[in-house]
Amino acid sequence: MTKQKNNTSWQKTRKFFNDVHLWAGLISGIVLLVVCLTGTIYVYNTEIREWNASHLYKVDHSEGMSKLSPDELLDKNRDLIKGDITGVKISSDEDRSFQVTAREKGDKSRFGTTYFVNPYTGELLGNSKEENAAATFMGYMFSLHRWLLLDKIEAPIFEGLENRKLGSYITGACTILFTIGVLTGLVIWVPRKAKNWRQGLKIKFNSNWKRINHDLHNSLAFYSAIILFLMGVTGPFFSFPWYREALQKSLGTYKERSVRAPGPSAGEGKKGADKDQAKIEMLPLEDYLYSVDQTLDYVGEYTVSLPKDGASKINISKKRAGFFAPAASDKLVLDVASAKVIETDIFKEKPFNERVSGSIKALHLGDVYGSFSKLLYFISCLIATSLPVTGTLIWINKMKKPKKKNKRKTATV
């Protein structure tokens, strides 16, 4: 009797989760199909952009040629670079270009303009403002993924609500439903009898198409469940401030945004300080890189944020290179005058919750551990793209009532 009650209780619980799973999928299915498909493509956003503009990123050089110093490369191209130079990126790859970031006055773009330089000859290869078919295509993929292309519509669809926000709310809500679908799907996947769990891991290709479709939905979703959950739970972070705040609070990393007090107007109270700061001269960039290597003794890529005139500190980050290289970088603050390290921010030394909080974007995009995790995310995104299709087919098949067999009419004489 007790066993029968337990079975009935489990059946009711399973039916509840099955209903939640079904309606979460039906409501968000079309949007998720678009979001997951564009997400699959966007996993290799950087690679696609660089492939289409390889002349900017890859350089040819003769064996035995040595690279010019960063300062020599900047001096050779200072007249060709428009605006104030704000930073440089130096790769450990011998075949990659030297990158310089600059910003012209009035430039409101997020990153400014990147100039690409041959590190062996000092030749300017081009800049990021050049027309690039892949960059344009990936820009549309990103817009479709984040805002369903609603940001391309100028006239507001709903008065008082930006189209970009509307698109973000829709994708964010559907991503929450996707996460619920992943969690409820795992509950539904659990077999009634423990001895049957192996059946849920197999795809019976020798069966009929309905069975194959059912196995593709269940088994593939189970294999990719962890990554699907990570993608789903981090997605709304970029759509809803309340979700972002809640996630940060749950990780114990939330900080109130401080409101900056208005600073003194130009020329007030800083004239004397500016004169003192102007005396600080930068050392050659190689001196700062050497100092960084003494603290961060590994091969990697440097990103140098050049200080403004008179600033006493210079910020340099270094990221490991390699197939399994983590996306997170280590950051150092150095004294401009002496190149001594005065602040360190080593990622692996942070508490676990801070590492997770600082990796939300990487966890969503898939570059947590370089090319290795990107490959896993690409495969998982393909599976996620198929789930609305296979799930809908399962639902349609269940909705179809089995045809009644026609009874033979007996003739009466």
Side-chain angles (χ1 to χ4, degrees):
M1 190 71 176
T2 305
K3 189 175 181 180
Q4 188 176 358
K5 283 184 178 180
N6 289 337
N7 287 337
T8 305
S9 177
W10 167 243
Q11 287 174 359
K12 289 181 179 179
T13 303
R14 199 169 187 273
K15 184 182 183 306
F16 169 76
F17 281 106
N18 188 74
D19 291 342
V20 173
H21 183 82
L22 171 64
W23 286 106
L26 290 177
I27 293 170
S28 61
I30 295 177
V31 174
L32 286 179
L33 184 64
V34 173
V35 169
C36 292
L37 178 59
T38 53
T40 303
I41 299 170
Y42 206 79
V43 168
Y44 286 108
N45 168 55
T46 302
E47 288 78 1
I48 292 172
R49 287 171 181 261
E50 292 187 6
W51 168 77
N52 189 250
S54 58
H55 66 285
L56 297 178
Y57 297 92
K58 296 292 182 181
V59 295
D60 296 324
H61 61 93
S62 303
E63 192 172 339
M65 287 183 68
S66 57
K67 290 183 178 181
L68 300 175
S69 70
D71 291 282
E72 288 176 318
L73 294 172
L74 289 174
D75 290 339
K76 277 181 172 288
N77 293 279
R78 204 169 292 274
D79 294 336
L80 301 175
I81 296 173
K82 298 178 181 179
D84 297 325
I85 297 174
T86 59
V88 299
K89 186 175 287 186
I90 307 166
S91 176
S92 60
D93 188 342
E94 297 297 320
D95 298 324
R96 269 185 90 77
S97 59
F98 175 83
Q99 298 181 26
V100 184
T101 305
R103 185 180 294 276
E104 293 184 76
K105 191 174 182 180
D107 184 359
K108 296 182 180 180
S109 62
R110 186 178 177 186
F111 301 108
T113 305
T114 301
Y115 294 83
F116 302 86
V117 180
N118 187 317
Y120 297 94
T121 64
E123 175 193 0
L124 183 63
L125 304 173
N127 63 68
S128 58
K129 298 297 183 182
E130 295 179 6
E131 289 189 12
N132 185 326
T136 303
F137 173 74
M138 294 310 297
Y140 276 100
M141 286 298 99
F142 181 75
S143 173
L144 192 55
H145 183 77
R146 281 289 306 277
W147 307 298
L148 301 176
L149 292 180
L150 295 182
D151 61 312
K152 305 297 182 184
I153 303 174
E154 294 183 5
I157 298 173
F158 296 104
E159 190 176 347
L161 179 62
E162 293 180 18
N163 291 340
R164 177 177 291 207
K165 281 189 177 180
L166 174 61
S168 183
Y169 291 163
I170 294 172
T171 57
C174 289
T175 306
I176 291 175
L177 291 175
F178 173 77
T179 308
I180 293 172
V182 172
L183 295 175
T184 53
L186 285 172
V187 176
I188 298 168
W189 180 90
V190 175
R192 296 179 184 178
K193 296 182 180 180
K195 65 180 181 179
N196 297 329
W197 69 270
R198 290 178 182 272
Q199 295 179 5
L201 301 175
K202 296 178 181 179
I203 301 174
K204 298 178 181 177
F205 288 105
N206 59 347
S207 187
N208 60 50
W209 74 269
K210 292 182 180 180
R211 179 67 192 190
I212 294 172
N213 179 75
H214 187 276
D215 288 348
L216 286 172
H217 186 83
N218 287 1
S219 302
L220 293 182
F222 177 80
Y223 284 122
S224 58
I226 294 176
I227 293 178
L228 296 183
F229 174 77
L230 290 175
M231 288 191 296
V233 80
T234 53
F237 182 90
F238 306 100
S239 295
F240 303 112
W242 62 265
Y243 188 95
R244 180 164 53 251
E245 183 179 324
L247 188 58
Q248 289 173 339
K249 283 183 177 179
S250 65
L251 292 170
T253 57
Y254 176 75
K255 293 180 182 179
E256 291 279 355
R257 288 190 177 184
S258 57
V259 180
R260 293 184 180 180
S265 59
E268 290 184 13
K270 287 192 176 183
K271 291 182 180 179
D274 288 343
K275 289 180 180 178
D276 293 336
Q277 290 177 353
K279 296 177 183 177
I280 302 175
E281 294 184 3
M282 281 193 63
L283 301 173
L285 285 176
E286 285 184 322
D287 291 356
Y288 300 113
L289 299 182
Y290 176 80
S291 185
V292 169
D293 287 339
Q294 303 311 301
T295 303
L296 306 174
D297 186 20
Y298 57 80
V299 176
E301 179 184 79
Y302 306 90
T303 301
V304 183
S305 298
L306 297 177
K308 294 181 179 179
D309 293 339
S312 60
K313 298 176 182 179
I314 181 171
N315 298 290
I316 301 178
S317 62
K318 188 175 181 181
K319 186 170 68 172
R320 294 180 186 272
F323 186 73
F324 293 96
S329 58
D330 299 318
K331 302 172 184 177
L332 301 179
V333 179
L334 287 73
D335 178 65
V336 170
S338 64
K340 288 184 179 179
V341 177
I342 54 180
E343 294 179 30
T344 60
D345 184 6
I346 311 301
F347 185 77
K348 69 178 182 180
E349 294 178 359
K350 291 182 178 182
F352 178 74
N353 63 322
E354 291 184 19
R355 279 182 281 161
V356 173
S357 183
S359 303
I360 296 296
K361 185 177 180 180
L363 286 168
H364 187 70
L365 296 178
D367 59 350
V368 187
Y369 283 102
S371 300
F372 171 71
S373 60
K374 277 193 171 187
L375 179 60
L376 294 181
Y377 268 65
F378 177 78
I379 296 171
S380 298
C381 269
L382 275 178
I383 293 171
T385 305
S386 73
L387 294 180
V389 178
T390 55
T392 302
L393 289 175
I394 291 172
W395 173 65
I396 292 173
N397 289 331
K398 286 184 178 179
M399 290 288 290
K400 289 180 179 179
K401 294 180 179 179
K403 294 181 180 179
K404 295 181 179 179
K405 293 181 180 179
N406 294 325
K407 295 182 179 179
R408 292 181 178 180
K409 295 181 179 180
T410 56
T412 58
V413 181

